Amino acid sequence: MFHKVLIANRGEIALRIIRTCRELGVRTVVAHSTADAHSLPVRLADESICIGPDDARASYLNIPAIISAAAITDSDAVHPGYGFLAENAAFAEVCRACSLTFIGPTPEAIRLMGDKVQARAIAREAGVPVAPGSEAPLKGPDEAQRVASQIGYPVILKSAAGGGGRGMRIVREGEDIGQALAACQSEAGAAFGSAEVYCEKFIEGARHVEVQVLGDRSGMRIHLGERDCSVQRRHQKLLEEAPAPALPPETRAGLYRAALAAAAAVNYVNAGTVEFLVDREDRFYFIEMNTRIQVEHPVTEVITGIDIVREQIRIAAGEPLGYRQEDVRFDGHAMECRINAEDPDTFVPSAGRVTAWVPPGGFGVRVDSHLAAPCVVPPFYDSLLAKVIVRGRDRAEAISRMRRALAETVIEGVKTSIPFH
């Protein structure tokens, strides 16, 4: 097991990692920006080190500063959390070159699944259903028009290098595709440093269902069931639940097989998530693989009893999973609401000072948050304040419990998404 883990992240995921490391007897270092100098993760970690100013490009995305921080603090591993450098293959390679263990998959797996066009090809070769679309990045509007005409409108244009809704446009008419392609390429280039865009069939009314997988260095791979993440705005998830409701057993079993096949195709090690679209006829199609811990991982934890962050650390340290698929049990139904600092009507971010924070409690309620009022919500980063997670015997009880939990949650000083939920 590791001596000391440097956490190259902030907010609730940094605190989540600190708690698991402490239970494992591993010391932690939080690498933080000046804006987060007084945050709860910084206060609760064994050590902290400032890696740069408020701007994430000069701190949380600053690879030399993070590597230097690990060296200065004598850390032997780095946990990237989610976002920032979590799916950056170059960062994972630098960690390897500096004899630091990157707590996540190999750089090779990150790179293979990070290119969405390449990931589609890998999935297709592994026998995983993929939505019809281009097999390479589009070269221009004429090719986009040709591909879209072949697969039929509506289509969706997507950045090959990114996610999170950036560099993405739905096109319903042929006359709009040239303008949409130019907009996607511009946005993708600015956000991800690559203007490559591909096209695939847009599936109307599809649900977003993802499968959590774990793999160790011996080649053992299992799944921890699925999550439904269909409640989104601007392609950003707002509410997740596990298991996915109203999913036929044969579709569920097919999703599990497909997820494990995709993971095996890139020799995947550590925790990852394979994402699918499920259409109105319960047919499913591969979207992408997220090579990191997901924001919504707690809903899987509470119905399986498995600490996914703990498994990440154990696997990265070279330990075997120690259990098989048949040992995984699913109990009850879980839901997670993301509480963001934003206007519930317009979704405009709401930075400022949190003057009061009263989290919900009671049977079956879990709250993952880095809030400690009074505290400041900086305008520089993601607006996530807390995740309220509930478990019930079934979906109806989970919904009732979530309504109760949300009603007793108090956050004052900034606007939040609680009224939306």
Side-chain angles (χ1 to χ4, degrees):
M1 185 48 68
F2 303 115
H3 159 66
K4 190 184 294 182
V5 170
L6 182 128
I7 302 167
N9 215 298
R10 63 178 302 278
E12 70 85 17
I13 189 60
L15 187 55
R16 173 75 179 81
I17 297 164
I18 289 168
R19 286 169 169 159
T20 293
C21 283
R22 185 153 292 163
E23 292 175 8
L24 289 170
V26 177
R27 292 181 61 81
T28 55
V29 181
V30 168
H32 65 87
S33 70
T34 52
D36 288 324
H38 303 290
S39 67
L40 189 58
V42 168
R43 286 157 52 187
L44 293 185
D46 295 298
E47 301 173 46
S48 64
I49 183 168
C50 185
I51 52 171
D54 303 340
D55 188 337
R57 292 170 295 182
S59 53
Y60 296 110
L61 294 172
N62 187 336
I63 293 176
I66 293 170
I67 297 298
S68 296
I72 291 168
T73 58
D74 193 30
S75 299
D76 51 351
V78 175
H79 198 308
Y82 53 69
F84 295 128
L85 295 170
E87 293 181 283
N88 188 304
F91 178 53
E93 285 177 334
V94 172
C95 287
R96 176 193 281 171
C98 295
S99 300
L100 283 167
T101 300
F102 179 82
I103 300 179
T106 63
E108 292 78 15
I110 296 173
R111 186 167 282 111
L112 286 171
M113 284 306 190
D115 183 319
K116 303 301 187 291
V117 175
Q118 186 172 243
R120 280 169 51 88
I122 291 170
R124 190 184 300 110
E125 291 171 9
V128 177
V130 176
S134 55
E135 297 183 4
L138 299 169
K139 296 177 181 177
D142 290 343
E143 185 180 17
Q145 183 72 264
R146 179 179 58 78
V147 172
S149 297
Q150 287 176 347
I151 63 179
Y153 289 93
V155 298
I156 184 166
L157 303 178
K158 295 182 177 180
S159 165
R166 289 174 293 182
M168 187 181 294
R169 295 288 189 283
I170 298 169
V171 183
R172 299 185 180 277
E173 304 288 342
E175 61 189 26
D176 300 327
I177 200 159
Q179 184 177 351
L181 176 63
C184 282
Q185 290 174 328
S186 175
E187 191 173 328
F192 310 114
S194 169
E196 291 189 339
V197 170
Y198 66 100
C199 174
E200 67 180 26
K201 179 70 176 176
F202 178 69
I203 302 169
E204 298 275 11
R207 297 163 61 189
H208 185 125
V209 179
E210 60 190 31
V211 179
Q212 177 73 62
V213 296
L214 291 175
D216 65 17
R217 294 182 185 176
S218 73
M220 171 67 72
R221 291 183 191 89
I222 64 169
H223 70 80
L224 300 183
E226 84 285 355
R227 302 183 284 256
D228 191 306
C229 308
S230 301
V231 180
Q232 303 182 14
R233 57 99 184 160
R234 300 173 191 160
H235 306 289
Q236 295 289 324
K237 299 169 186 173
L238 295 172
L239 181 151
E240 302 93 5
E241 56 184 311
L247 202 61
E250 59 272 20
T251 303
R252 179 174 280 115
L255 285 166
Y256 296 163
R257 288 193 298 270
L260 291 173
V266 293
N267 194 27
Y268 198 84
V269 176
N270 215 268
T273 304
V274 187
E275 303 200 348
F276 300 90
L277 291 178
V278 180
D279 69 14
R280 290 166 175 161
E281 284 73 45
D282 295 315
R283 297 170 298 200
F284 61 87
Y285 307 91
F286 172 86
I287 309 174
E288 63 182 357
M289 184 173 189
N290 286 305
T291 55
R292 55 172 168 79
I293 192 79
Q294 295 276 90
V295 177
E296 59 271 20
H297 75 273
V299 292
T300 297
E301 292 183 329
V302 299
I303 65 167
T304 61
I306 294 174
D307 181 336
I308 298 173
V309 173
R310 180 177 184 270
E311 298 307 275
Q312 281 193 295
I313 297 168
R314 288 182 56 248
I315 292 167
E319 296 184 12
L321 274 177
Y323 50 91
R324 298 180 176 273
Q325 190 65 63
E326 55 267 27
D327 299 317
V328 179
R329 296 288 181 265
F330 303 101
D331 185 18
H333 195 97
M335 303 188 80
E336 172 184 294
C337 285
R338 300 190 189 191
I339 310 303
N340 297 324
E342 56 191 22
D343 188 296
D345 297 318
T346 64
F347 297 110
V348 172
S350 177
R353 186 174 180 82
V354 174
T355 56
W357 160 235
V358 181
F363 187 81
V365 177
R366 164 178 162 179
V367 179
D368 284 14
S369 176
H370 59 291
L371 290 181
C375 63
V376 174
V377 179
F380 315 109
Y381 316 117
D382 183 85
S383 62
L384 183 65
L385 297 180
K387 302 183 307 195
V388 176
I389 307 108
V390 302
R391 179 195 167 278
R393 289 170 296 180
D394 53 29
R395 189 168 188 256
E397 185 173 75
I399 291 172
S400 177
R401 185 159 289 152
M402 180 62 82
R403 285 176 173 153
R404 187 268 297 171
L406 291 170
E408 66 184 58
T409 305
V410 176
I411 301 177
E412 295 179 354
V414 296
K415 294 181 179 181
T416 76
S417 55
I418 293 175
F420 170 86
H421 286 299

